[in-house]
Amino acid sequence: ITVNDFPSNDLQFDAPIVDHQQLEKILATPQTFDTSAMINGDELAYVLFTSGTTGSPKGVEVSHDNFMTFVDWMLSDEFKIKEHANFLGQPPYSFDLSNMYWLPALLPGGTIKALPHEVVENFGQMFTALPNLDLEVFVGTPSFADMLMLSPAFNQQKMPSLKTFLFCGEELTVKTAKGLHQRFPDAKIFNTYGPTETTVAVSEIEITPEIIENNDRLPVGYAKPGVKLSIWNGDQEITTPGEQGEIVISGNSVARGYMNNPEKTAKSFFKIDGVPAYRTGDAGTLDSDGLLHHKGRMDFQIKLHGYRIELDEVRASLEKSPLIKQAVAVPKYNKDGKVTHLIAYVIPNESTEDTAGLTKQIRESLDGLIMPYMMPTQFVYRES
Ligand code: AMP
């Protein structure tokens, strides 16, 4: 099913294609739905693609049951989301964070206030649009909240209905949380944590002013029902509170695995006493009361503006350029520990004085071969 023009001349498919004209006709035709064949149990609800290490993404298979555990949790008393609420719909549907707004908005009869990509790209338009949306719930990455705080108009006075902030996807820094509390003193701020492989998010905590005051890095919360968080050193669980190791998530939120990729699945997915478990690659500690603290990654996966990126995928994509002999991508961090941009270190096939020209040519040669958000913004050339 294609929602846009499809480059069908370049691609050979055995399957029939529904093009967008046909799709529009189908959508305009009233339908009666056959609800006798609903998906259920361990059947697939969706596949979400995330950065892989070899230049091709991994498809995470989330089952119906996985999904329902998330729905039940979002609508439980934990987040106190009221019925008929207005939600900000900014994260794209290709990011599982979008489940955090469309579900709890639509199921209790609320509204999604969509911010189209073009509006988000244009600060002037976005800051004019926001106060008129009558938002009650913000769902997004801390990076997006930081961007909104560039506008002095992003405050309780201008947006009095905005009472709940739901964060996920990357570290919520003390600086961001503090800034929000100052601007929205009556709002509740929730930090949630979890990888796509365990269905959106698996832990949650309300970030109060006391928590901000008492922590250099904010905690990422307590496990949702049906999930156990544990800390491991290789194949051994660490049971001493406060000791750092790899965060392992087990229970009913753990996805089926990676689509058509038994090797990668076996590396990260396993069972603990028969219960599905996932090795996150995240470093962390658990307090004696079960509160989880995230301490960064144990590998070369980063978050840039909320996007999950394997540096090796960027390298593999760069090396597809005929102008590049060898490359490596490294993140540039700011003083808050956030990645600000990617730097490509490149050994070109032919050296040149005109590095700006070469960078332009490399960018052009990679058009369509690298996701735009993964394209390094700084190129450094080396001979070896
Ligand atoms: P994604 O699959 O895109 O949701 O990315 C999952 C990864 O994002 C996790 O494995 C963490 O490394 C990071 N992450 C998600 N939520 C948080 C959080 N609240 N604090 C710190 N890191 C987070």
Side-chain angles (χ1 to χ4, degrees), residues 169-171 191-196 220 282 294 297 303 308:
E170 63 179 351
E171 178 165 359
N191 193 14
T192 73
Y193 156 84
T196 304
V220 294
D282 286 318
H294 185 261
R297 291 291 303 176
K303 282 286 170 124
R308 171 168 158 181

Side-chain angles (χ1 to χ4, degrees), residues 313-315 317-318 320 363 366-376:
E313 178 169 0
V314 184
R315 177 199 57 75
S317 302
L318 288 170
K320 286 180 191 162
R363 287 170 175 285
L366 289 170
D367 192 30
L369 296 176
I370 183 168
M371 292 295 285
Y373 68 83
M374 288 192 195
M375 178 69 95

Side-chain angles (χ1 to χ4, degrees), residues 48 50 95-97 142 167-172 191-197 200 203 217-220 278 280-282 294-297 301 303 306-308:
L48 204 132
T50 185
F95 188 4
D96 70 348
L97 178 57
F167 286 109
C168 193
E170 63 179 351
E171 178 165 359
L172 174 64
N191 193 14
T192 73
Y193 156 84
T196 304
E197 287 85 340
V200 194
S203 69
R217 286 181 93 170
L218 299 174
V220 294
Y278 173 70
T280 60
D282 286 318
H294 185 261
K295 306 277 185 188
R297 291 291 303 176
Q301 179 183 303
K303 282 286 170 124
Y307 286 107
R308 171 168 158 181

Side-chain angles (χ1 to χ4, degrees), residues 138-319:
F138 167 100
V139 177
T141 58
S143 295
F144 189 60
D146 285 340
M147 202 165 106
L148 296 183
M149 281 196 279
L150 293 176
S151 163
F154 188 62
N155 62 38
Q156 190 165 300
Q157 210 182 356
K158 288 272 174 5
M159 303 174 74
S161 315
L162 187 45
K163 291 280 165 60
T164 309
F165 287 85
L166 301 179
F167 286 109
C168 193
E170 63 179 351
E171 178 165 359
L172 174 64
T173 60
V174 166
K175 190 175 165 200
T176 303
K178 225 181 213 168
L180 280 174
H181 260 301
Q182 275 161 3
R183 285 163 184 247
F184 295 89
D186 295 341
K188 284 184 184 302
I189 299 173
F190 292 92
N191 193 14
T192 73
Y193 156 84
T196 304
E197 287 85 340
T198 58
T199 320
V200 194
V202 291
S203 69
E204 157 276 328
I205 183 167
E206 188 188 335
I207 303 294
T208 58
E210 293 73 50
I211 292 181
I212 297 175
E213 226 30 72
N214 295 328
N215 288 277
D216 293 334
R217 286 181 93 170
L218 299 174
V220 294
Y222 298 93
K224 77 195 252 290
V227 160
K228 186 180 169 222
L229 302 168
S230 50
I231 303 295
W232 290 57
N233 177 4
D235 287 335
Q236 283 293 314
E237 184 176 348
I238 301 171
T239 48
T240 319
E243 205 171 303
Q244 186 166 321
E246 182 176 15
I247 301 172
V248 167
I249 298 167
S250 54
N252 57 16
S253 295
V254 175
R256 303 194 326 184
Y258 298 117
M259 191 170 76
N260 301 333
N261 203 332
E263 216 172 279
K264 284 239 158 79
T265 301
K267 245 186 180 168
S268 303
F269 291 84
F270 68 115
K271 290 217 160 131
I272 305 172
D273 299 330
V275 178
Y278 173 70
R279 290 180 224 281
T280 60
D282 286 318
T285 61
L286 270 177
D287 292 349
S288 53
D289 67 348
L291 182 61
L292 182 67
H293 299 263
H294 185 261
K295 306 277 185 188
R297 291 291 303 176
M298 302 171 72
D299 57 9
F300 296 113
Q301 179 183 303
I302 58 148
K303 282 286 170 124
L304 174 60
H305 310 313
Y307 286 107
R308 171 168 158 181
I309 298 174
E310 296 279 357
L311 294 172
D312 226 20
E313 178 169 0
V314 184
R315 177 199 57 75
S317 302
L318 288 170
E319 288 181 352

